[in-house]
Amino acid sequence: MASDASNSDRPMTLPHPHATLVKFGYPHNLVHEGRHWAVLVRPQQPTLGSLVLCATGEATAYGDLPAQAFAEQGELVARIEAMLTRAVGYARINYLMLMMVDPHVHFHVIPRYKGERAFGGTVFSDSGWPGPPVLSDTRPASPELISFLISNFS
């Protein structure tokens, strides 16, 4: 499990992470790794604190996950929402399972809020509020933001 804010030298715990995990920054952006799921800071942030909840196995269909994965997912959702409440103060949260380009089971976790949030001198607007998130309007996740989100996950 990842719990320290210094993740650049953290060893990967998955010997062969699949392409979807790697695309979303595994292991560098790793917030938490469980038995069936990894929580990653989304490299491109449509809103401040955006994450990816990615299954660690090879499943490409949600229904193919083992029953234990669903129990773990429920526990992680509660922890994600508690962390994002502290770190971002969101009004709503969207879990988007798109899987059109990246085939392995994963959710984009997008905290939603009216107006703006700022971190490290960067302003993050929720340009889609109150409608669907605008995933093309993003800011990069800085190393400081990644460390901040990792340190706030408990």
Side-chain angles (χ1 to χ4, degrees):
M1 266 192 268
S3 61
D4 63 77
S6 173
N7 58 5
S8 61
D9 59 352
R10 187 175 0 158
M12 295 187 334
T13 58
L14 294 174
H16 305 288
H18 57 65
T20 303
L21 281 163
V22 172
K23 178 179 179 179
F24 291 111
Y26 183 89
H28 177 70
N29 292 7
L30 184 64
V31 174
H32 171 85
E33 186 172 330
R35 181 169 174 175
H36 300 282
W37 295 96
V39 179
L40 303 153
V41 177
R42 195 174 189 277
Q44 294 298 318
Q45 300 273 296
T47 61
L48 180 62
S50 294
L51 305 171
V52 176
L53 178 60
C54 190
T56 57
E58 294 294 330
T60 57
Y62 192 49
D64 289 345
L65 294 174
Q68 300 86 350
F70 295 101
E72 183 180 326
Q73 182 183 25
E75 295 167 8
L76 285 175
V77 164
R79 293 175 68 188
I80 286 168
E81 291 181 6
M83 182 267 284
L84 290 175
T85 295
R86 290 188 304 272
V88 177
Y90 67 89
R92 301 268 190 267
I93 194 162
N94 294 158
Y95 292 87
L96 307 176
M97 179 186 260
L98 304 172
M99 294 172 40
M100 297 301 292
V101 175
D102 307 300
H104 299 94
V105 174
H106 68 285
F107 294 85
H108 297 265
V109 182
I110 312 296
R112 306 298 307 279
Y113 45 81
K114 184 177 182 178
E116 300 175 337
R117 301 289 189 273
F119 182 87
T122 302
V123 174
F124 296 83
S125 298
D126 186 344
S127 56
W129 181 268
V134 179
L135 299 178
S136 60
D137 183 11
T138 64
R139 307 290 176 275
S142 67
E144 295 80 15
L145 177 59
I146 294 167
S147 293
F148 173 73
L149 293 172
I150 290 169
S151 69
N152 274 280
F153 192 81
S154 57

